[in-house]
Amino acid sequence: MNYLLPIIFGIGFGYIMSRVGAFEYANILNALRLKDLQIPKFMLFTVAVSAVGFFSLHALGLVSLNLIATNLGADLLGGLIFGVGFALAGYCPGTSIGAWGEGKRDAQYAVFGGVFGVLVYTILREFGLVLRTPDLGEISLIDFIPLSPLAVAVLFSVILVGFLYAVDYWEERKNKGGDLL
């Protein structure tokens, strides 16, 4: 039973991502070029809803927050590698698996590249050949704001949703040929 609910949610989320067009290379490219913001808006809304949902469950003691240590150098290098892979493949890990599931053959190369990268990292880590920079400990946004984690999540979500409304407003104004402000 512990695995059934995540599988159901994963299938549901994959379906929604497919309906939004998040598995289409052209849509991802247009999102990265800031020509079509449908996918970024969907993803930001998903983060807003998930943050409130997760921290509500956390406040009830139903889930725990397990952070990993922040290693700035390794995080920046990992982000750079991820960004280059995303730019070259046109897929992030989740969309590559979904696109492959939809039968898009190019996505399989992104999936295999991701698995290969994990394998290489695991081997390097096993031999102690990983980037060693100062460990900043387990930090998150809730460490910097003197409110409960749920209140921070709600505040964060309200800001994200406000940002999404502003983006929608600016897009409508731009499409009508008006001034952006």
Side-chain angles (χ1 to χ4, degrees), residues 50-134:
S50 298
V52 172
F54 176 82
F55 281 103
S56 295
L57 294 173
H58 183 265
L60 296 171
L62 298 174
V63 296
S64 62
L65 181 61
N66 298 315
L67 299 174
I68 60 172
T70 302
N71 183 324
L72 199 54
D75 292 345
L76 290 172
L77 179 61
L80 178 65
I81 292 169
F82 174 85
V84 169
F86 191 176
L88 291 174
Y91 295 108
C92 70
T95 58
S96 64
I97 292 170
W100 193 20
E102 282 189 344
K104 295 177 177 62
R105 294 181 56 105
D106 61 331
Q108 71 184 349
Y109 300 110
V111 172
F112 291 140
V115 170
F116 179 73
V118 169
L119 178 65
V120 167
Y121 174 77
T122 303
I123 292 169
L124 291 175
R125 184 178 173 140
E126 199 62 32
F127 288 104
L129 300 172
V130 292
L131 184 62
R132 301 219 186 270
T133 59

Side-chain angles (χ1 to χ4, degrees), residues 139-159:
I139 57 173
S140 73
L141 183 62
I142 60 176
D143 295 326
F144 299 104
I145 300 175
L147 298 171
S148 73
L150 179 56
V152 172
V154 169
L155 179 64
F156 177 72
S157 296
V158 166
I159 291 169

